[in-house]
Amino acid sequence: MSLDPKQSTQTLLSARKVTKTFGSLTALDAVDLDVMRGEVLCIIGPSGSGKSTLLRCLNQIERFDRGAVWIDDELIGYRQDGDTLHELDDRAIARQRLACGMVFQRFNLFNHMTALQNIMEGPVTVLKRPRQEVRQEAIALLQRVGLSDKHDAYPAQLSGGQQQRVAIARALAMKPKLMLFDEPTSALDPELVGEVLTVMRDLAASGMTMIVVTHELGFAREVADRVIFMDAGRIVETGAPDQVLGEPSQQRTRDFIAAVLS
């Protein structure tokens, strides 16, 4: 495998032959993926298809077993010395991880901190930025996600949708190059889904590069530049939303979409 992705300068992320196993289970089976700057990519597929594992490998929460990933032309997880790869230490991986903002199914907010404090924590503690400067940016981010009146609210005082919007603002506060969303509405009551999707639509419209694992096919059709269908750790089909969701070429894709819409 070449250690040079040789991609266009417009390519933000390249993955080559990424493979991840858990015991006898192959969660990712030689996945190849390119994501362009400013692209919104939605990944759909059944539970256990490898969608979330792929995001966790891209963000180095999980270490993949084989393959390589570049983000903004930087090889992640390894240092290259000629044709030899050396694993990076935890500190270097933590630095690389800053390129990706991650929004999980569960909100993972600090319960003892207000919404504003949750957003400020990373830039102040990790990036060592001036507190007053970060505070002004955090206030602006709360306004951006429609929560300008919730500065002093603790997570327990917020609805699930509001907590997820704070989690999105917290990820944005680190100024990532790429936003990863792992089924961000799956833990929400149905009436709260729309408020989170509205924030994500606005984020996509602003030009943020996004990879979104979702079961919200309507959102994928409306917002995505490209849709990927995964099954059994492989990318089965990829294309424009109208093609993959409206006229899929693979029977497995057709079966999945019919099951979701039934």
Side-chain angles (χ1 to χ4, degrees):
M1 180 188 65
S2 171
L3 296 180
D4 181 357
K6 298 186 187 308
Q7 295 299 311
S8 161
T9 57
Q10 292 304 308
T11 303
L12 180 62
L13 179 144
S14 293
R16 293 291 177 268
K17 307 301 180 188
V18 173
T19 301
K20 175 67 179 178
T21 58
F22 297 99
S24 61
L25 172 67
T26 300
L28 295 175
D29 189 0
V31 170
D32 289 336
L33 178 65
D34 291 312
V35 180
M36 308 301 287
R37 299 178 193 276
E39 182 177 20
V40 178
L41 174 68
C42 284
I43 304 178
I44 63 172
S47 297
S49 61
K51 309 181 303 295
S52 295
T53 301
L54 177 59
L55 290 195
R56 292 172 68 86
C57 285
L58 296 179
N59 201 31
Q60 302 192 72
I61 297 171
E62 296 280 358
R63 298 297 293 266
F64 44 88
D65 302 313
R66 292 186 299 281
V69 176
W70 295 261
I71 296 178
D72 208 11
D73 292 328
E74 181 177 6
L75 182 67
I76 70 166
Y78 297 90
R79 175 178 58 83
Q80 183 177 342
D81 183 9
D83 288 335
T84 303
L85 296 180
H86 304 276
E87 286 192 10
L88 296 180
D89 60 24
D90 290 344
R91 186 172 186 175
I93 288 174
R95 177 192 62 78
Q96 288 189 335
R97 194 177 285 136
L98 296 175
C100 297
M102 186 87 171
V103 178
F104 299 89
Q105 297 177 29
R106 295 290 176 179
F107 325 120
N108 297 336
L109 299 178
F110 295 114
N111 291 324
H112 65 289
M113 294 183 178
T114 66
L116 193 66
Q117 289 168 338
N118 264 282
I119 296 169
M120 292 176 61
E121 178 66 13
V124 170
T125 303
V126 178
L127 301 181
K128 310 298 183 184
R129 295 183 55 211
R131 179 172 293 274
Q132 191 54 39
E133 178 182 292
V134 170
R135 177 182 171 82
Q136 293 306 311
E137 291 180 4
I139 289 171
L141 283 169
L142 278 173
Q143 183 174 7
R144 183 175 182 180
V145 299
L147 294 173
S148 57
D149 60 337
K150 300 296 184 181
H151 295 180
D152 298 325
Y154 289 89
Q157 299 170 311
L158 300 172
S159 70
Q162 290 171 333
Q163 289 186 61
Q164 192 62 296
R165 284 186 278 161
V166 173
I168 293 172
R170 180 181 61 181
L172 291 173
M174 301 298 284
K175 302 184 185 299
K177 299 174 182 178
L178 169 67
M179 285 286 287
L180 307 174
F181 294 86
D182 187 7
E183 298 191 32
T185 61
S186 64
L188 300 179
D189 293 333
E191 64 269 22
L192 302 178
V193 169
E195 63 190 52
V196 174
L197 294 182
T198 295
V199 171
M200 294 173 64
R201 287 187 187 95
D202 291 344
L203 191 58
S206 75
M208 173 62 74
T209 310
M210 299 165 58
I211 303 178
V212 183
V213 170
T214 185
H215 287 298
E216 301 287 343
L217 300 189
F219 173 83
R221 185 186 294 274
E222 175 189 353
V223 176
D225 298 298
R226 187 161 48 108
V227 174
I228 282 175
F229 172 70
M230 290 187 69
D231 189 37
R234 299 184 180 95
I235 294 176
V236 175
E237 186 162 359
T238 181
D242 287 347
Q243 184 264 305
V244 175
L245 301 176
E247 298 180 356
S249 61
Q250 302 297 313
Q251 185 62 48
R252 184 67 187 91
T253 313
R254 292 195 288 271
D255 292 344
F256 171 78
I257 292 173
V260 171
L261 296 179
S262 64

